[in-house]
Amino acid sequence: MKLHQNLSPIIEQAFEQTGLSGSPIILQAAKNPDFGDFQINGVMGAAKKLKQNPRDLSTQVADILKQNPTFSSVEVAGAGFINLRLSPEFLAQNLSGSLKITPNPTPEKIIIDYSSPNLAKEMHVGHLRSSIIGDSLARVLGFLGNDVVRQNHVGDWGTQFGMLVAYMVEQQQENSQFELADLEQFYRNAKIRFDEDENFANLSRDYVVKLQGGDETVLALWRQFVDISLQHAEDVYTKLGLLLERGDVAGESRYNDDLHNVINELSEKGLAVDDDGAKVVFLDEFKNKEGEPAAFIVQKQGGGFLYATTDFACMRYRVGKLGGTRLLYVVDTRQDLHFKQLFTASRKAGWLPENVSAEFIGFGTMMGKDGKPFKTRSGDTVKLVDLIDESIERAAALVQSKNPDLSADDVANIARVVGIGAVKYADLSKNRTSDYVFDWENMLSFEGNTAPYLQYAYTRVQSVFKKAGDWDIQAACVLKEPLEQQLAVELLKFEDVLHSVAESCYPHYLATYLYGLATLFSRFYEACPILKAEGETRNSRLQLAHYTGEVLRNGLNLLGIETLDVM
Ligand code: ARG
């Protein structure tokens, strides 16, 4: 249920009756549960405008709210805050609504650009954040009833593909059984050949020209390479349990035919100008170090197109063909300026209309414990497959030591769920805009704000139901203890939290909420015995446990994290 939206009209009405109509009520969750569940902070501002005493006005608003059965206590505090506590009856009646989501009545068409690796190389840790964050956003936005279109904007075009295709042909000639197993090594070897052999380099350049000119033979070779490289990426997606599929791939190559049009239109509109033989967009909004408009190059000297050119064509496609109303780009923060320039220039060109929002969903770098970008011991970039495998291995050792009686199959399954959950959660629980330190011990710990802790909390709830016997989910619920009530309030906030994630694109809001819920549940579990209780108390506590389990499971699932009944 949308708790906030349920409470707001009640408070707005009280504001109206006190002569404060139109003033923002500013309703927030209370920081300290001892004072209440929510706090109204809007009276002070309204009083200032009206030159009235804030405490008097707050008292008037509070007196009206006191008559409403939604609240069990309404108290004026400090300079004119109003602390609200939801009544146990209201909570009990609405508990079953904690999982009911009102689907967006006017669904948005949301295009999410995420993962988007360059296919010339193996996926490395740099693509992990985009993949995980984008996947979670796609899940949350879809769950709220929006029409979500996933776009994997893979780098499958450009000069290096000439070299890679040339090298692939060479390898296939030498060995008909040739298989592209290690992309990273393949790229390195191709580069060596390119640098040392003039003929090979010329052939590579020739392939680029043919590729861009649409030569069918070279295109077929290129397709073969792209297909193998995509399979590598898909192995990672499958391992990670991402929603991305082949049909979501819309790589740079797709926009090739529109690049000339982009340049022509940008020039006609006076946005792109000649600069030393290149075509450049200068925007007053973005200054370089010298204080002059920063250059946004859209065509190189000699006519070659760039990353930016492709992104203009892609923008036209997402708005014009896909009909997107909200465009999200989940990309490393280092590309911030690129996207600012892209959005601003696209607005000016008329390709990004007022009613379509374009948002850069930037994220920081994954750091090692040494405070430097995460690398292998030898200083190489860490391949994603290796990272995931290592996490699963570490989780397996942990699970086995905790529970030596488990069968090998069980260990393997739990280790997969925990290992992958840990990697995802370590990322999603942090504010995405900051860099974060990748630390195996922390993320695989069963204590603290980690996936294993949350997954275990869920399992603990399930174990209650194994022993519970018959109980009634429909029976009237009674909430007498403060911790029972607090837990119910928390459960009812679920949909509000999802909306804040959807608006801000910060999945850590959901992670923080789930962690809070799990710790609250464990306090409740200590203080309020469930199975030893009797009658309606026992049944009500089982209801609370049931909804806690469901919110944890659904919430983790929206972060792309699985749960287990036993672990
Ligand atoms: N392939 C790019 C990279 O690895 C990310 C692409 C992001 N999406 C876009 N439309 N530019 O840096």
Side-chain angles (χ1 to χ4, degrees):
M1 79 179 288
K2 288 185 177 171
L3 185 55
H4 209 276
Q5 261 192 32
N6 266 276
L7 301 178
S8 294
I10 303 175
I11 299 161
E12 274 155 16
Q13 209 184 0
F15 264 48
E16 236 163 72
Q17 289 171 11
T18 322
L20 308 179
S21 15
S23 290
I25 57 171
I26 317 186
L27 177 69
Q28 285 168 351
K31 301 223 164 53
N32 181 344
D34 290 344
F35 298 133
D37 304 318
F38 285 92
Q39 190 169 65
I40 303 170
N41 294 339
V43 180
M44 277 94 70
K48 204 167 168 192
K49 265 202 209 125
L50 299 171
K51 300 203 170 55
Q52 291 197 33
N53 180 320
R55 276 202 72 108
D56 285 351
L57 280 179
S58 293
T59 310
Q60 287 175 46
V61 173
D63 285 343
I64 298 168
L65 293 177
K66 274 178 191 162
Q67 288 155 35
N68 195 306
T70 305
F71 308 109
S72 59
S73 101
V74 182
E75 278 165 11
V76 176
F81 305 100
I82 303 172
N83 290 323
L84 301 172
R85 198 179 289 288
L86 297 173
S87 72
E89 296 75 26
F90 172 85
L91 294 172
Q93 268 162 26
N94 286 286
L95 189 62
S96 65
S98 39
L99 284 158
K100 288 201 192 98
I101 304 297
T102 331
N104 193 346
T106 48
E108 279 190 274
K109 183 127 192 189
I110 306 177
I111 319 289
I112 312 189
D113 179 326
Y114 72 103
S115 193
S116 309
N118 293 328
L119 295 186
K121 294 195 174 191
E122 194 101 20
M123 273 184 89
H124 57 83
V125 294
H127 298 111
L128 182 66
R129 299 208 71 186
S130 176
S131 304
I132 294 178
I133 296 167
D135 195 65
S136 171
L137 293 176
R139 287 171 193 262
V140 172
L141 292 163
F143 188 70
L144 292 176
N146 297 291
D147 185 359
V148 173
V149 181
R150 297 179 291 268
Q151 293 280 281
N152 195 356
H153 189 88
V154 297
D156 60 355
W157 206 236
T159 45
Q160 72 273 50
F161 285 92
M163 172 182 91
L164 292 164
V165 167
Y167 190 60
M168 193 173 68
V169 172
E170 200 174 82
Q171 291 297 303
Q172 283 170 341
Q173 274 163 357
E174 279 170 23
N175 168 13
S176 56
Q177 305 293 311
F178 166 77
E179 267 185 57
L180 214 178
D182 189 330
L183 264 175
E184 211 58 36
Q185 194 58 44
F186 184 83
Y187 184 89
R188 244 178 274 148
N189 294 346
K191 185 81 178 60
I192 293 172
R193 288 284 293 123
F194 186 89
D195 291 338
E196 71 184 12
D197 182 343
E198 190 57 28
N199 285 337
F200 181 85
N202 285 335
L203 183 68
S204 303
R205 290 192 198 101
D206 193 33
Y207 275 153
V208 177
V209 175
K210 286 196 171 140
L211 202 53
Q212 287 174 345
D215 180 306
E216 261 318 314
T217 325
V218 183
L219 272 173
L221 290 165
W222 164 82
R223 256 182 233 117
Q224 214 188 328
F225 179 87
V226 165
D227 184 55
I228 298 173
S229 184
L230 271 175
Q231 278 168 24
H232 280 244
E234 279 160 357
D235 287 347
V236 174
Y237 298 158
T238 311
K239 267 199 181 170
L240 281 174
L242 302 188
L243 298 174
L244 282 174
E245 288 169 8
R246 192 57 75 102
D248 303 322
V249 173
E252 292 181 14
S253 61
R254 157 177 286 210
Y255 307 103
N256 189 42
D257 292 345
D258 199 30
L259 301 179
H260 276 290
N261 305 335
V262 164
I263 300 296
N264 290 343
E265 286 193 35
L266 284 174
S267 305
E268 276 163 27
K269 291 178 173 156
L271 283 160
V273 292
D274 270 318
D275 190 69
D276 231 357
K279 291 251 191 292
V280 183
V281 177
F282 291 104
L283 298 166
D284 282 334
E285 289 85 343
F286 309 104
K287 299 268 159 46
N288 62 18
K289 284 190 210 100
E290 285 76 43
E292 289 150 5
F296 195 38
I297 308 176
V298 291
Q299 190 168 24
K300 289 192 273 195
Q301 289 168 326
F305 300 114
L306 298 110
Y307 185 56
T309 332
T310 305
D311 260 327
F312 276 114
C314 170
M315 170 74 73
R316 287 150 59 99
Y317 173 76
R318 288 180 186 174
V319 176
K321 291 261 165 39
L322 294 180
T325 55
R326 190 177 176 199
L327 315 181
L328 307 178
Y329 295 81
V330 189
V331 187
D332 192 306
T333 58
R334 281 171 286 199
Q335 295 192 29
D336 186 31
L337 179 61
H338 165 84
F339 283 98
K340 281 198 178 115
Q341 291 173 316
L342 174 72
F343 297 164
T344 306
S346 298
R347 293 244 184 251
K348 293 192 181 186
W351 299 332
L352 183 57
E354 273 311 306
N355 59 348
V356 178
S357 80
E359 297 160 50
F360 174 64
I361 312 301
F363 54 81
T365 306
M366 207 166 117
M367 307 295 247
K369 270 168 121 178
D370 56 2
K372 299 200 189 111
F374 192 76
K375 292 263 160 71
T376 59
R377 262 171 216 273
S378 57
D380 289 334
T381 44
V382 178
K383 283 189 203 168
L384 260 191
V385 208
D386 296 343
L387 182 99
I388 299 164
D389 288 343
E390 178 166 357
S391 190
I392 296 173
E393 263 167 46
R394 284 176 182 258
L398 216 70
V399 169
Q400 214 151 25
S401 71
K402 261 185 156 326
N403 196 345
D405 299 334
L406 285 173
S407 74
D409 278 356
D410 283 344
V411 172
N413 190 40
I414 300 172
R416 183 187 59 80
V417 172
V418 171
I420 287 170
V423 169
K424 288 186 175 180
Y425 192 81
D427 195 311
L428 294 170
S429 57
K430 315 279 189 324
N431 183 327
R432 61 172 161 78
T433 55
S434 332
D435 295 346
Y436 82 100
V437 176
F438 189 89
D439 177 349
W440 288 116
E441 279 78 40
N442 273 347
M443 67 193 198
L444 281 164
S445 166
F446 277 81
E447 264 138 57
N449 190 8
T450 65
Y453 173 81
L454 288 172
Q455 288 168 320
Y456 189 67
Y458 174 77
T459 305
R460 195 149 80 150
V461 175
Q462 299 321 300
S463 70
V464 172
F465 287 98
K466 285 214 193 76
K467 296 172 229 143
D470 283 344
W471 66 285
D472 185 356
I473 194 167
Q474 311 265 0
C477 177
V478 277
L479 305 169
K480 295 203 185 94
E481 297 296 325
L483 276 168
E484 294 172 340
Q485 294 165 13
Q486 230 176 292
L487 184 57
V489 174
E490 229 22 54
L491 288 168
L492 292 187
K493 287 183 190 162
F494 184 49
E495 188 174 358
D496 284 350
V497 172
L498 296 183
H499 281 283
S500 67
V501 174
E503 271 161 39
S504 64
C505 293
Y506 281 127
H508 77 280
Y509 289 162
L510 175 57
T512 307
Y513 165 77
L514 293 175
Y515 179 56
L517 181 68
T519 46
L520 187 60
F521 178 78
S522 100
R523 286 174 55 212
F524 153 82
Y525 189 78
E526 297 294 317
C528 310
I530 301 177
L531 297 175
K532 290 207 181 92
E534 278 169 19
E536 65 178 8
T537 305
R538 184 180 196 269
N539 200 68
S540 302
R541 289 180 182 169
L542 281 165
Q543 289 175 350
L544 278 171
H546 167 78
Y547 289 112
T548 304
E550 286 305 281
V551 169
L552 282 175
R553 188 171 58 80
N554 280 279
L556 283 170
N557 192 270
L558 292 172
L559 295 175
I561 296 173
E562 288 180 54
T563 47
L564 293 161
D565 286 349
V566 185
M567 63 185 266

